[in-house]
Amino acid sequence: MRATRGAVRRARGPLLSRIAAALFGGYALAVLTSVAALALPMGTVEAVLTGMQASFVVYAAAVIWVFAARSARRAWLGLALAALPLLAAACWVWRVPGA
């Protein structure tokens, strides 16, 4: 049985949404992780290196999460929930002078 064109078009939307979530949402989480690492109680150089290394793991995990989630909506929601604590730490780093 062949899929109709309408069914193929309906299936494209969630797939494109997941791809966008993996690319842009994963990148945003990786950046927030890298910045939030500066809030860790260690020297600046060590915090930068830790943040850089952790950002690779976070990006890979975000991509895996996006395609493992039940729906594109859950994928976006999961990325947003993961971003909240990272955003709070990043905002603290941006506000604190010399951190």
Side-chain angles (χ1 to χ4, degrees):
M1 189 161 90
R2 289 179 50 163
T4 63
R5 287 185 184 173
V8 170
R9 286 188 187 136
R10 281 191 300 273
R12 256 187 226 159
L15 178 62
L16 291 176
S17 179
R18 286 177 191 254
I19 291 171
L23 289 174
F24 302 117
Y27 180 77
L29 278 181
V31 168
L32 286 174
T33 299
S34 185
V35 173
L38 293 171
L40 294 172
M42 59 177 66
T44 304
V45 174
E46 290 85 7
V48 168
L49 291 174
T50 301
M52 284 176 54
Q53 291 175 350
S55 70
F56 290 108
V57 174
V58 168
Y59 190 83
V63 170
I64 291 169
W65 160 252
V66 164
F67 288 102
R70 277 189 198 170
S71 67
R73 180 175 292 154
R74 281 187 185 222
W76 281 105
L77 182 62
L79 291 176
L81 289 176
L84 288 176
L86 293 172
L87 184 61
C91 286
W92 183 81
V93 167
W94 288 325
R95 285 189 180 165
V96 175

